[in-house]
PDB file of all heavy atoms in Angstrom:
ATOM      1  N   ASP A 132     -33.610-200.493  63.806  1.00 96.00           N
ATOM      2  CA  ASP A 132     -32.296-200.730  63.219  1.00 96.00           C
ATOM      3  C   ASP A 132     -32.255-200.050  61.849  1.00 96.00           C
ATOM      4  O   ASP A 132     -32.762-200.585  60.862  1.00 96.00           O
ATOM      5  CB  ASP A 132     -32.037-202.236  63.081  1.00 96.00           C
ATOM      6  CG  ASP A 132     -30.615-202.540  62.626  1.00 96.00           C
ATOM      7  OD1 ASP A 132     -29.924-201.615  62.142  1.00 96.00           O
ATOM      8  OD2 ASP A 132     -30.193-203.706  62.738  1.00 96.00           O
ATOM      9  N   ALA A 133     -31.680-198.854  61.812  1.00 92.00           N
ATOM     10  CA  ALA A 133     -31.651-198.079  60.577  1.00 92.00           C
ATOM     11  C   ALA A 133     -30.882-198.795  59.469  1.00 92.00           C
ATOM     12  O   ALA A 133     -31.164-198.597  58.281  1.00 92.00           O
ATOM     13  CB  ALA A 133     -31.034-196.707  60.834  1.00 92.00           C
ATOM     14  N   SER A 134     -29.920-199.654  59.836  1.00 94.00           N
ATOM     15  CA  SER A 134     -29.111-200.321  58.823  1.00 94.00           C
ATOM     16  C   SER A 134     -29.925-201.302  57.979  1.00 94.00           C
ATOM     17  O   SER A 134     -29.561-201.601  56.841  1.00 94.00           O
ATOM     18  CB  SER A 134     -27.941-201.063  59.483  1.00 94.00           C
ATOM     19  OG  SER A 134     -28.409-202.146  60.284  1.00 94.00           O
ATOM     20  N   VAL A 135     -31.027-201.805  58.534  1.00 93.00           N
ATOM     21  CA  VAL A 135     -31.887-202.723  57.770  1.00 93.00           C
ATOM     22  C   VAL A 135     -33.264-202.110  57.502  1.00 93.00           C
ATOM     23  O   VAL A 135     -34.165-202.767  57.007  1.00 93.00           O
ATOM     24  CB  VAL A 135     -32.033-204.083  58.488  1.00 93.00           C
ATOM     25  CG1 VAL A 135     -30.705-204.800  58.541  1.00 93.00           C
ATOM     26  CG2 VAL A 135     -32.608-203.908  59.891  1.00 93.00           C
ATOM     27  N   GLY A 136     -33.414-200.841  57.871  1.00 94.00           N
ATOM     28  CA  GLY A 136     -34.644-200.135  57.564  1.00 94.00           C
ATOM     29  C   GLY A 136     -35.835-200.496  58.427  1.00 94.00           C
ATOM     30  O   GLY A 136     -36.976-200.473  57.952  1.00 94.00           O
ATOM     31  N   THR A 137     -35.594-200.819  59.695  1.00 96.00           N
ATOM     32  CA  THR A 137     -36.716-201.113  60.579  1.00 96.00           C
ATOM     33  C   THR A 137     -36.847-200.035  61.649  1.00 96.00           C
ATOM     34  O   THR A 137     -35.887-199.346  61.984  1.00 96.00           O
ATOM     35  CB  THR A 137     -36.554-202.486  61.259  1.00 96.00           C
ATOM     36  OG1 THR A 137     -35.382-202.476  62.086  1.00 96.00           O
ATOM     37  CG2 THR A 137     -36.433-203.597  60.230  1.00 96.00           C
ATOM     38  N   GLY A 138     -38.058-199.925  62.178  1.00 97.00           N
ATOM     39  CA  GLY A 138     -38.329-198.936  63.208  1.00 97.00           C
ATOM     40  C   GLY A 138     -39.397-197.958  62.756  1.00 97.00           C
ATOM     41  O   GLY A 138     -39.975-198.076  61.677  1.00 97.00           O
ATOM     42  N   ASP A 139     -39.677-197.005  63.610  1.00 97.00           N
ATOM     43  CA  ASP A 139     -40.646-195.949  63.354  1.00 97.00           C
ATOM     44  C   ASP A 139     -39.886-194.733  62.856  1.00 97.00           C
ATOM     45  O   ASP A 139     -39.023-194.196  63.563  1.00 97.00           O
ATOM     46  CB  ASP A 139     -41.397-195.639  64.659  1.00 97.00           C
ATOM     47  CG  ASP A 139     -42.391-194.501  64.525  1.00 97.00           C
ATOM     48  OD1 ASP A 139     -42.448-193.855  63.468  1.00 97.00           O
ATOM     49  OD2 ASP A 139     -43.103-194.251  65.513  1.00 97.00           O
ATOM     50  N   GLU A 140     -40.196-194.293  61.637  1.00 96.00           N
ATOM     51  CA  GLU A 140     -39.465-193.155  61.057  1.00 96.00           C
ATOM     52  C   GLU A 140     -39.609-191.891  61.890  1.00 96.00           C
ATOM     53  O   GLU A 140     -38.747-191.008  61.818  1.00 96.00           O
ATOM     54  CB  GLU A 140     -39.950-192.900  59.632  1.00 96.00           C
ATOM     55  CG  GLU A 140     -39.583-193.995  58.651  1.00 96.00           C
ATOM     56  CD  GLU A 140     -40.121-193.696  57.264  1.00 96.00           C
ATOM     57  OE1 GLU A 140     -39.555-192.809  56.583  1.00 96.00           O
ATOM     58  OE2 GLU A 140     -41.106-194.334  56.861  1.00 96.00           O
ATOM     59  N   THR A 141     -40.659-191.763  62.661  1.00 97.00           N
ATOM     60  CA  THR A 141     -40.835-190.570  63.489  1.00 97.00           C
ATOM     61  C   THR A 141     -40.168-190.702  64.848  1.00 97.00           C
ATOM     62  O   THR A 141     -39.973-189.704  65.551  1.00 97.00           O
ATOM     63  CB  THR A 141     -42.326-190.271  63.733  1.00 97.00           C
ATOM     64  OG1 THR A 141     -42.854-191.182  64.708  1.00 97.00           O
ATOM     65  CG2 THR A 141     -43.132-190.373  62.455  1.00 97.00           C
ATOM     66  N   GLY A 142     -39.856-191.936  65.267  1.00 97.00           N
ATOM     67  CA  GLY A 142     -39.280-192.179  66.583  1.00 97.00           C
ATOM     68  C   GLY A 142     -40.302-192.366  67.683  1.00 97.00           C
ATOM     69  O   GLY A 142     -39.955-192.699  68.817  1.00 97.00           O
ATOM     70  N   TYR A 143     -41.591-192.178  67.376  1.00 98.00           N
ATOM     71  CA  TYR A 143     -42.622-192.242  68.420  1.00 98.00           C
ATOM     72  C   TYR A 143     -42.755-193.632  69.036  1.00 98.00           C
ATOM     73  O   TYR A 143     -42.964-193.753  70.250  1.00 98.00           O
ATOM     74  CB  TYR A 143     -43.968-191.797  67.850  1.00 98.00           C
ATOM     75  CG  TYR A 143     -45.111-192.022  68.817  1.00 98.00           C
ATOM     76  CD1 TYR A 143     -45.341-191.128  69.862  1.00 98.00           C
ATOM     77  CD2 TYR A 143     -45.943-193.140  68.709  1.00 98.00           C
ATOM     78  CE1 TYR A 143     -46.370-191.349  70.771  1.00 98.00           C
ATOM     79  CE2 TYR A 143     -46.971-193.355  69.605  1.00 98.00           C
ATOM     80  CZ  TYR A 143     -47.183-192.463  70.636  1.00 98.00           C
ATOM     81  OH  TYR A 143     -48.184-192.690  71.541  1.00 98.00           O
ATOM     82  N   PHE A 144     -42.650-194.680  68.241  1.00 98.00           N
ATOM     83  CA  PHE A 144     -42.826-196.037  68.765  1.00 98.00           C
ATOM     84  C   PHE A 144     -41.839-196.307  69.892  1.00 98.00           C
ATOM     85  O   PHE A 144     -42.166-196.957  70.880  1.00 98.00           O
ATOM     86  CB  PHE A 144     -42.640-197.073  67.649  1.00 98.00           C
ATOM     87  CG  PHE A 144     -43.064-198.472  68.023  1.00 98.00           C
ATOM     88  CD1 PHE A 144     -44.380-198.870  67.870  1.00 98.00           C
ATOM     89  CD2 PHE A 144     -42.143-199.380  68.516  1.00 98.00           C
ATOM     90  CE1 PHE A 144     -44.782-200.155  68.216  1.00 98.00           C
ATOM     91  CE2 PHE A 144     -42.526-200.668  68.861  1.00 98.00           C
ATOM     92  CZ  PHE A 144     -43.858-201.056  68.714  1.00 98.00           C
ATOM     93  N   GLU A 145     -40.629-195.787  69.747  1.00 96.00           N
ATOM     94  CA  GLU A 145     -39.599-196.004  70.760  1.00 96.00           C
ATOM     95  C   GLU A 145     -39.700-194.991  71.906  1.00 96.00           C
ATOM     96  O   GLU A 145     -39.534-195.340  73.073  1.00 96.00           O
ATOM     97  CB  GLU A 145     -38.204-195.916  70.125  1.00 96.00           C
ATOM     98  CG  GLU A 145     -37.873-197.051  69.164  1.00 96.00           C
ATOM     99  CD  GLU A 145     -38.503-196.878  67.791  1.00 96.00           C
ATOM    100  OE1 GLU A 145     -38.897-195.732  67.437  1.00 96.00           O
ATOM    101  OE2 GLU A 145     -38.616-197.878  67.056  1.00 96.00           O
ATOM    102  N   SER A 146     -39.995-193.737  71.587  1.00 97.00           N
ATOM    103  CA  SER A 146     -39.948-192.683  72.606  1.00 97.00           C
ATOM    104  C   SER A 146     -41.264-192.502  73.359  1.00 97.00           C
ATOM    105  O   SER A 146     -41.256-192.096  74.534  1.00 97.00           O
ATOM    106  CB  SER A 146     -39.575-191.347  71.954  1.00 97.00           C
ATOM    107  OG  SER A 146     -40.656-190.848  71.168  1.00 97.00           O
ATOM    108  N   GLY A 147     -42.384-192.757  72.678  1.00 96.00           N
ATOM    109  CA  GLY A 147     -43.687-192.495  73.294  1.00 96.00           C
ATOM    110  C   GLY A 147     -44.038-191.017  73.366  1.00 96.00           C
ATOM    111  O   GLY A 147     -45.062-190.656  73.947  1.00 96.00           O
ATOM    112  N   ARG A 148     -43.217-190.160  72.776  1.00 97.00           N
ATOM    113  CA  ARG A 148     -43.479-188.711  72.784  1.00 97.00           C
ATOM    114  C   ARG A 148     -44.300-188.329  71.558  1.00 97.00           C
ATOM    115  O   ARG A 148     -43.823-188.445  70.435  1.00 97.00           O
ATOM    116  CB  ARG A 148     -42.174-187.917  72.809  1.00 97.00           C
ATOM    117  CG  ARG A 148     -41.366-188.066  74.090  1.00 97.00           C
ATOM    118  CD  ARG A 148     -40.203-187.078  74.093  1.00 97.00           C
ATOM    119  NE  ARG A 148     -39.295-187.333  72.993  1.00 97.00           N
ATOM    120  CZ  ARG A 148     -38.202-188.084  73.072  1.00 97.00           C
ATOM    121  NH1 ARG A 148     -37.874-188.675  74.215  1.00 97.00           N
ATOM    122  NH2 ARG A 148     -37.425-188.246  72.015  1.00 97.00           N
TER     123      ARG A 148
END
Side-chain angles (χ1 to χ4, degrees):
D132 187 345
S134 66
V135 295
T137 63
D139 177 354
E140 292 179 74
T141 76
Y143 172 80
F144 191 86
E145 292 79 19
S146 72
R148 293 188 298 266

